[in-house]
Amino acid sequence: QVHLMESGGSSVQAGDSLRLSCSARGHILSWAWFRSGPGKEREGVAAYRADGGTIYADFVMGRFTVSRDYATNTLYLQMNSLKPEDSDTYYCAANSMSRPLSSLLLPIHYDYWGHGTQVTVSP
């Protein structure tokens, strides 16, 4: 069993930075950040695999960075140059099975989810 808890969401202005954290208990081979809002499907933002592989959605490439602290079993999402369209609830997801990197931005491949943390970016 895996337990996830996100933190770090806040209200900021366009151009600001935020760092989201996802603390985990359990064995994880791949995990990711997703986001969704009212009337929107959950979309993959960035994923991290246990071998260090990462993958990003095109809309965050060059602005967001995903990383993992193995000592604390925490996944981070550093978000820079935030835009109003980045406003959403961000969710951490994980699974205990190895998956191809190219598939890790699809929510169907994740068995465990956090409750989300809200990010609001004002113009």
Side-chain angles (χ1 to χ4, degrees), residues 90-118:
Y90 283 71
Y91 297 89
C92 179
N95 70 43
S96 301
M97 297 181 65
S98 180
R99 300 274 185 191
L101 194 61
S102 59
S103 71
L104 293 184
L105 292 182
L106 299 175
I108 194 172
H109 293 310
Y110 292 89
D111 301 317
Y112 306 101
W113 292 84
H115 293 292
T117 186
Q118 181 67 39

Side-chain angles (χ1 to χ4, degrees), residues 7-82:
S7 62
S10 184
S11 296
V12 297
Q13 294 189 323
D16 285 352
S17 298
L18 274 178
R19 189 177 77 162
L20 304 183
S21 301
C22 175
S23 60
R25 289 187 292 154
H27 179 63
I28 298 173
L29 289 182
S30 43
W31 47 359
W33 289 98
F34 290 83
R35 67 187 191 186
S36 69
K40 294 171 54 178
E41 291 189 1
R42 194 164 291 190
E43 58 183 358
V45 175
Y48 186 101
R49 199 169 59 183
D51 62 359
T54 59
I55 186 170
Y56 295 90
D58 289 344
F59 54 81
V60 302
M61 194 76 71
R63 299 189 298 127
F64 292 9
T65 303
V66 64
S67 61
R68 179 178 182 175
D69 184 332
Y70 283 89
T72 61
N73 209 22
T74 301
L75 186 74
Y76 297 103
L77 183 68
Q78 178 66 42
M79 306 188 294
N80 298 328
S81 302
L82 283 162

